[in-house]
Amino acid sequence: KVRWIACLDFSAHIVLMRTIEVHNCADYLADVGLIATTEPITVRRLAGGVSNVVFHVIRGSARGGNFVLYQAR
């Protein structure tokens, strides 16, 4: 199940934001082309976000290395 949040941008157009969580992070990253759909990853949510979420993405392959994904909310 994908949860979407509607919000207004500065040009007054409605923008849909896909809410990223640990369970759907791999799907999101594959959809936007940051990882291969078959690439194994481990995702950990990092503490400290107030109006945002931060995830540590650990890649199972040698391609590109690990990274942090940040989503403002």
Side-chain angles (χ1 to χ4, degrees):
K1 181 179 177 184
V2 176
R3 189 172 135 213
W4 298 87
I5 297 174
C7 55
L8 291 177
D9 68 9
F10 292 109
S11 61
H13 292 94
I14 294 178
V15 176
L16 294 178
M17 181 181 81
R18 182 175 180 177
T19 303
I20 303 169
E21 297 294 345
V22 169
H23 70 276
N24 67 354
C25 189
D27 292 335
Y28 169 77
L29 294 172
D31 288 349
V32 298
L34 292 174
I35 64 169
T37 56
T38 58
E39 183 175 351
I41 64 169
T42 301
V43 179
R44 293 186 307 139
R45 187 171 179 164
L46 300 177
V50 176
S51 60
N52 58 63
V53 290
V54 182
F55 301 99
H56 181 208
V57 179
I58 302 165
R59 299 179 84 164
S61 69
R63 292 181 31 210
N66 304 334
F67 58 93
V68 171
L69 175 66
Y70 170 96
Q71 182 179 44
R73 295 194 176 165

